[in-house]
Amino acid sequence: MVNLVIISHGDFCVGLLSSLKMIAGDTFGVTAVPLIPGEAPESYREKLADVLTKYEDKESGFIILSDIAGGTPFQSAAYLSKEFKIGLVSGMNMPMLLSLALGRSDGDTLDSLIEKATSKDSVGIQSKVFGRGERKQRAKLSINKN
């Protein structure tokens, strides 16, 4: 199965992983590798390489979700594509992570997972402007009857 790793500046990826566990009840084998403030790019690249090396199934490859394109985490993953089979997607968010974590299967390829990660449903962006005083019926936020 293709391995799933999330990377970011600071604890953003750690928070997403924690939220994944809260929403779905498990981490589904996802690993978070944060870039700590003050950490040198070379040190981060080595840390990421160490994490990738520890996976048993390296042949299927890795889909790596990054917070932003061009930053140290993204560049480190791109650099490591010389050693590892990597599909890299920037702009990660919770719908994207949920879609991949819950929807991965043994038959998936890096290309199919990248397509899934970047599909409209996985991007999860919606908008609505509510006018002042607008009264629309909305679902309750709590599952409790109180």
Side-chain angles (χ1 to χ4, degrees):
M1 181 183 307
V2 175
N3 303 294
L4 181 53
V5 178
I6 54 178
I7 59 178
S8 69
H9 294 84
D11 287 333
F12 177 56
C13 62
V14 175
L16 275 177
L17 189 56
S18 177
S19 294
L20 173 65
K21 189 171 182 176
M22 179 182 178
I23 294 167
D26 193 0
T27 61
F28 299 92
V30 178
T31 302
V33 186
L35 172 67
I36 306 303
E39 186 173 12
E42 298 80 20
S43 173
Y44 180 76
R45 187 179 316 129
E46 289 174 14
K47 179 170 72 174
L48 182 56
D50 287 345
V51 167
L52 299 182
T53 302
K54 290 178 183 171
Y55 276 87
E56 288 181 27
D57 180 10
K58 295 175 202 58
E59 292 302 312
S60 296
F62 299 87
I63 183 154
I64 299 180
L65 304 181
S66 175
D67 54 355
I68 57 172
T72 297
F74 183 92
Q75 292 296 337
S76 295
Y79 180 85
L80 290 173
S81 68
K82 296 176 187 178
E83 288 180 57
F84 301 94
K85 186 177 177 183
I86 292 175
L88 184 56
V89 178
S90 67
M92 72 175 168
N93 59 37
M94 183 53 69
M96 184 184 294
L97 180 58
L98 282 166
S99 176
L100 292 178
L102 299 175
R104 264 185 316 163
S105 68
D106 288 335
D108 284 325
T109 64
L110 282 176
D111 289 333
S112 69
L113 289 174
I114 287 174
E115 188 174 312
K116 186 180 286 190
T118 57
S119 75
K120 182 181 177 200
D121 293 336
S122 292
V123 173
I125 298 173
Q126 298 180 9
S127 63
K128 170 71 174 129
V129 175
F130 294 99
R132 185 172 183 194
E134 182 178 348
R135 295 183 186 266
K136 291 217 174 204
Q137 187 159 7
R138 294 181 183 79
K140 285 182 123 179
L141 294 177
S142 174
I143 59 172
N144 296 330
K145 293 187 178 198
N146 297 331

